[in-house]
Amino acid sequence: GNRAGVAECVLSQGIVFCLQNQTQNGTEKLKQAKDIYRELEDKRGMAQAVMQLGHATATTAQGAVYFEEAISLYHEIHDQVEEARALQHLAELQQSLKKDQSVNKTWYDCLSLK
């Protein structure tokens, strides 16, 4: 079958669940999409899924883990725009979690991509 199409649909379902404040259902779908993208060796798809997982958990330390994973994946595929966007989200999360040392480094990393 069309696994890439399935992954895209599952990713979209996860995003919609999260937008409807059904975070548990949303994160399950996003993780499922990430797994399908991993099977397909689609790093861009994996990065999109973990970026959305970061947004879904953006008030917690787990959100930072997801954003860091997205940064790494976007770096691997040489997508500086999305890498910078993920760094920005990470810095904002670190700031809200009062991780002052980390915030400065993350903003510096973000600015050095430009």
Side-chain angles (χ1 to χ4, degrees):
N2 181 0
R3 296 290 287 159
V6 170
E8 200 170 312
C9 288
V10 173
L11 177 66
S12 296
Q13 286 176 323
I15 293 168
V16 169
F17 276 131
C18 290
L19 290 172
Q20 295 173 336
N21 290 320
Q22 296 179 42
T23 309
Q24 185 174 349
N25 290 335
T27 55
E28 286 173 17
K29 290 289 184 185
L30 294 171
K31 288 175 185 176
Q32 187 181 352
K34 178 187 168 191
D35 291 342
I36 297 169
Y37 283 124
R38 181 183 293 119
E39 289 171 23
L40 296 170
E41 298 180 7
D42 180 342
K43 288 185 180 180
R44 180 171 301 283
M46 287 173 58
Q48 290 173 322
V50 292
M51 186 81 144
Q52 292 300 324
L53 282 162
H55 289 303
T57 56
T59 57
T60 68
Q62 183 61 47
V65 173
Y66 287 128
F67 286 137
E68 287 169 355
E69 187 176 352
I71 291 162
S72 176
L73 287 162
Y74 283 126
H75 185 79
E76 284 181 41
I77 60 173
H78 309 290
D79 186 334
Q80 289 188 323
V81 172
E82 290 301 320
E83 184 181 353
R85 189 168 286 140
L87 280 161
Q88 178 182 351
H89 291 304
L90 177 60
E92 290 166 354
L93 175 55
Q94 288 170 333
Q95 199 162 6
S96 74
L97 296 174
K98 307 288 190 245
K99 306 258 186 213
D100 296 332
Q101 293 297 319
S102 301
V103 172
N104 293 336
K105 182 191 180 317
T106 303
W107 279 121
Y108 180 80
D109 291 347
C110 187
L111 292 170
S112 68
L113 282 177
K114 307 272 189 242

